[in-house]
Amino acid sequence: MKERIRVAIPGLLVALTTCFLLFIYAPLELYVANQTEFWFDFYKILKAAAQNFLIFYAINVVGVLLSACLSERLCRVVTVTELVALLALYVQGNFLVSNTPPFDGTEIIWENYRSENIKTAIVCILIAAATVVVWKLFGAKRMEIFCKAASAGLGGILLLTLVTIILTTSAYRERTTYYALENGQYSLSEDTNFLILLLDAVDAKSFEKVMDSDPAYEDTFSDFTYYPDMVGAYPWTAFSTPYILSGKWYEGQDYYLDYTASAVDESQLFYELSNRGYDIALYESDPWVTSYTYRFSNMVELQHDAYVWKYFRRAICKLGGIRYAPFFMKEYCYRAIEQTQGQHNAFVDESNPLYTWDLREFSAHMQEEEVTCREEKCFKYYHLQGGHVPFLYDADLNTVGDSSYAETLEANIKVLGQFLQKLKQADVYDNSVIIIMSDHGFNPQDETSAYDRQNPLFLVKGAGESHPLKKSLVPASYADLEDAYVRLLDGESGDEIFPYKEGESRERRYIFYENTNHVMYEWMQTGPAWNFEDYRATGVTYQRKN
């Protein structure tokens, strides 16, 4: 009996490390690196991961012990098989991830990734062959020692790495986040309104082409000034949105959640609005970070749980496979993202659900909620789906599922037209400052790349303006926004908010980074915003923290 247990020990150690990698390390690593993408906190995923680990390790223990009881040779085969699986998973998750599909909503064409299956198969064959060769060369006894050493060493590295990233990112801290409720979007001031409609991923030049395709679109934006030569701040939403509302650059100084919280608290825009007596409401689909300084009237702190815990736990089980599973299993594992969202029970009143950025739902709610007027001045920020993937709607806002970027932009214009008409009918249009903008540009020819995202849409109307749509080629930048907001609050018209002249030469800062890379690069634009070739790297880089 003792001999059987001795033979089983290497297999138990390898199984322990394999289960730790797949069911604890992998999902927690993914969570820590993408905390803002998930509704649940660290302790919920830790509980689910621990349960999955215990279940699957128990199954492995039974399997290894049973094989040891049946035959020493069978137990060694099981152990070596576990070791091959462990090494293959580790290599897959650390060295074969450069072509891993994004999980930001981009439609994944899995047929385009079939070649990755070949790489996975080659790696598995090479690892299996090398392991068998080692076994044959050094014998069963030394193979047992190798299995114990490899599993213990790799397990120790994984544990140390996991503890380090959890502590350095402060992922263990309880987060206080707020969620936007849907109602109140049209509770507006009879005095003054300051409204920002932020359309996600709308490129200025692409939008302009769509507007030029139909003269009626130009009429939709009468009274506005359009700034096509606008340089954004970042190529992705995560850092663009806090910057737009605060003017605070992210230069790698903080972890992401700490940066967003400090950006909100230090926002010159919110400071001005608060001092001028504005009610501040932010309509954002994603959870909002804590602000210790400003209160957002439409946001509430909510209790969260999973609808059915076992289904949530199963989704977390798949989550680890996004990075570490063999490629032929990744399509199955990627479903975990949608499944975890489907298990989100936020305990909200059904009569006042959470705000969603979905274009069609925003339009439907617009028809349902009447405009109500109040004396208090109002600031409202609406983050809409804009041109973000996937492209779901045609120009008439019908759900088609395989629309184009141009049609999606037409759907946005339709919704914007409805919104502006609603304000006019309620007699709150003329007393409203309205900015229609994007967080960053977009390249429909390469949906997943950060390149060519530097030219976001920007249209603005000051209070009381009445004129045909204007076009200004002033070399503007999102770095100018904080001062522009103040000018608009002071009553300036939309064509007078930037202190530059058309044709004036200036350098405009832009920080470029790929979502898959933690290095950020400072660039300067010396030509038109839309000309990507005019951007030059300054040589300054920043290390992005999770």
Side-chain angles (χ1 to χ4, degrees):
M1 185 62 183
K2 288 183 180 180
E3 179 63 19
R4 299 294 185 186
I5 294 176
R6 184 194 64 76
V7 171
I9 287 175
L12 295 176
L13 285 175
V14 175
L16 178 68
T17 303
T18 304
C19 290
F20 178 80
L21 168 63
L22 202 53
F23 301 110
I24 291 185
Y25 181 86
L28 289 180
E29 179 196 39
L30 186 73
Y31 172 81
V32 169
N34 303 275
Q35 294 176 56
T36 56
E37 301 293 329
F38 302 106
W39 62 265
F40 44 88
D41 63 18
F42 175 76
Y43 296 98
K44 278 189 174 57
I45 188 174
L46 179 62
K47 177 182 175 183
Q51 290 177 351
N52 289 329
F53 168 77
L54 291 173
I55 291 169
F56 282 93
Y57 185 56
I59 294 171
N60 274 265
V61 167
V62 171
V64 171
L65 291 178
L66 183 61
S67 66
C69 292
L70 293 174
S71 162
E72 285 188 21
R73 183 171 181 80
L74 176 60
C75 184
R76 291 187 178 113
V77 170
V78 170
T79 299
V80 170
T81 303
E82 285 260 18
L83 181 64
V84 169
L86 171 61
L87 296 176
L89 291 171
Y90 184 80
V91 171
Q92 176 71 58
N94 288 279
F95 303 103
L96 299 179
V97 291
S98 58
N99 289 326
T100 300
F103 54 94
D104 60 354
T106 303
E107 183 182 3
I108 301 172
I109 310 299
W110 288 102
E111 288 297 326
N112 297 340
Y113 293 91
R114 296 309 176 199
S115 62
E116 297 299 321
N117 289 330
I118 299 174
K119 295 180 186 178
T120 298
I122 291 173
V123 166
C124 290
I125 291 170
L126 291 175
I127 290 174
T131 305
V132 171
V133 168
V134 170
W135 188 1
K136 293 298 183 182
L137 287 178
F138 296 101
K141 297 293 184 182
R142 289 186 178 179
M143 189 64 197
E144 289 179 3
I145 296 172
F146 176 75
C147 287
K148 288 189 285 187
S151 58
L154 194 55
I157 292 170
L158 292 171
L159 180 60
L160 182 62
T161 303
L162 183 61
V163 171
T164 300
I165 63 174
I166 289 172
L167 292 178
T168 54
T169 60
S170 298
Y172 61 89
R173 293 186 308 185
E174 290 194 20
R175 298 185 300 182
T176 303
T177 51
Y178 293 89
Y179 286 79
L181 299 178
E182 184 178 64
N183 293 346
Q185 293 177 46
Y186 301 99
S187 174
L188 298 169
S189 173
E190 58 190 22
D191 183 342
T192 308
N193 299 292
F194 194 119
L195 311 176
I196 296 178
L197 293 98
L198 187 135
L199 312 179
D200 206 285
V202 174
D203 182 76
K205 281 299 181 181
S206 298
F207 193 86
E208 187 175 346
K209 286 180 182 178
V210 172
M211 281 204 297
D212 291 344
S213 68
D214 188 339
Y217 291 153
E218 188 169 315
D219 294 337
T220 299
F221 301 107
S222 59
D223 310 325
F224 282 81
T225 300
Y226 167 52
Y227 289 89
D229 194 5
M230 175 65 76
V231 171
Y234 298 91
W236 304 96
T237 304
F239 292 102
S240 296
T241 301
Y243 182 80
I244 287 167
L245 293 173
S246 70
K248 180 174 182 174
W249 289 99
Y250 177 80
E251 298 172 340
Q253 67 273 34
D254 297 309
Y255 288 101
Y256 177 73
L257 291 177
D258 294 329
Y259 159 71
T260 53
S262 64
V264 171
D265 286 336
E266 297 171 22
S267 167
Q268 182 183 342
L269 171 61
F270 292 152
Y271 174 80
E272 287 289 340
L273 292 168
S274 181
N275 281 356
R276 296 177 190 230
Y278 278 77
D279 174 77
I280 305 173
L282 305 179
Y283 290 94
E284 178 71 67
S285 284
D286 293 330
W288 195 251
V289 296
T290 303
S291 172
Y292 299 101
T293 307
Y294 303 105
R295 179 181 176 273
F296 307 120
S297 60
N298 68 313
M299 289 198 164
V300 294
E301 184 181 356
L302 298 175
Q303 297 296 318
H304 305 276
D305 211 340
Y307 280 112
V308 182
W309 179 259
K310 67 177 181 179
Y311 295 142
F312 174 73
R313 180 176 53 74
R314 289 175 187 173
I316 297 301
C317 184
K318 298 176 191 175
L319 204 62
I322 289 176
R323 185 178 175 97
Y324 285 88
F327 236 92
F328 69 88
M329 293 183 64
K330 287 193 186 295
E331 184 174 358
Y332 171 76
C333 294
Y334 265 69
R335 298 173 192 166
I337 299 165
E338 185 176 343
Q339 290 167 353
T340 55
Q341 295 301 324
Q343 286 299 315
H344 184 195
N345 183 1
F347 298 104
V348 295
D349 186 344
E350 291 183 2
S351 65
N352 191 10
L354 297 181
Y355 172 79
T356 174
W357 76 344
D358 182 85
L359 211 56
R360 189 180 175 91
E361 290 195 33
F362 182 81
S363 177
H365 181 76
M366 192 191 310
Q367 313 306 319
E368 296 168 0
E369 185 178 339
E370 296 295 327
V371 173
T372 57
C373 292
R374 53 201 287 191
E375 293 183 3
E376 187 179 15
K377 290 181 281 190
C378 294
F379 170 85
K380 295 190 185 295
Y381 162 91
Y382 310 85
H383 190 170
L384 298 175
Q385 188 175 5
H388 198 285
V389 291
F391 307 136
L392 302 174
Y393 306 114
D394 65 14
D396 294 319
L397 214 58
N398 298 309
T399 304
V400 293
D402 57 349
S403 182
S404 67
Y405 186 62
E407 280 189 299
T408 301
L409 296 186
E410 288 189 88
N412 277 271
I413 293 174
K414 180 183 180 71
V415 172
L416 291 170
Q418 293 172 346
F419 180 86
L420 297 174
Q421 192 60 37
K422 187 178 182 75
L423 300 186
K424 291 174 182 177
Q425 291 172 350
D427 292 326
V428 292
Y429 175 83
D430 289 335
N431 71 332
S432 297
V433 171
I434 305 173
I435 299 175
I436 298 171
M437 65 188 300
S438 181
D439 49 354
H440 54 78
F442 186 76
N443 180 7
Q445 275 69 53
D446 191 351
E447 299 173 5
T448 61
S449 173
Y451 288 91
D452 258 351
R453 288 175 169 241
Q454 76 285 348
N455 186 205
L457 173 70
F458 192 86
L459 291 142
V460 58
K461 177 195 87 70
E465 288 199 58
S466 179
H467 52 76
L469 174 65
K470 294 181 180 179
K471 182 176 179 179
S472 173
L473 287 172
V474 162
S477 166
Y478 275 8
D480 308 323
L481 284 181
E482 294 302 301
D483 291 336
Y485 295 146
V486 174
R487 290 189 177 97
L488 289 166
L489 288 169
D490 288 339
E492 292 280 2
S493 60
D495 59 351
E496 297 290 338
I497 60 174
F498 298 115
Y500 302 97
K501 297 178 181 179
E502 292 188 9
E504 184 174 344
S505 177
R506 69 178 290 214
E507 286 191 335
R508 290 171 283 176
R509 189 188 197 206
Y510 180 73
I511 295 184
F512 174 87
Y513 70 98
E514 290 284 6
N515 246 347
T516 54
N517 194 323
H518 280 232
V519 181
M520 309 173 90
Y521 304 88
E522 182 185 63
W523 287 359
M524 288 294 178
Q525 171 63 304
T526 56
W530 57 82
N531 192 347
F532 196 74
E533 294 181 357
D534 284 340
Y535 285 81
R536 62 174 181 81
T538 66
V540 177
T541 61
Y542 307 102
Q543 190 69 27
R544 178 165 60 98
K545 299 178 182 177
N546 293 330

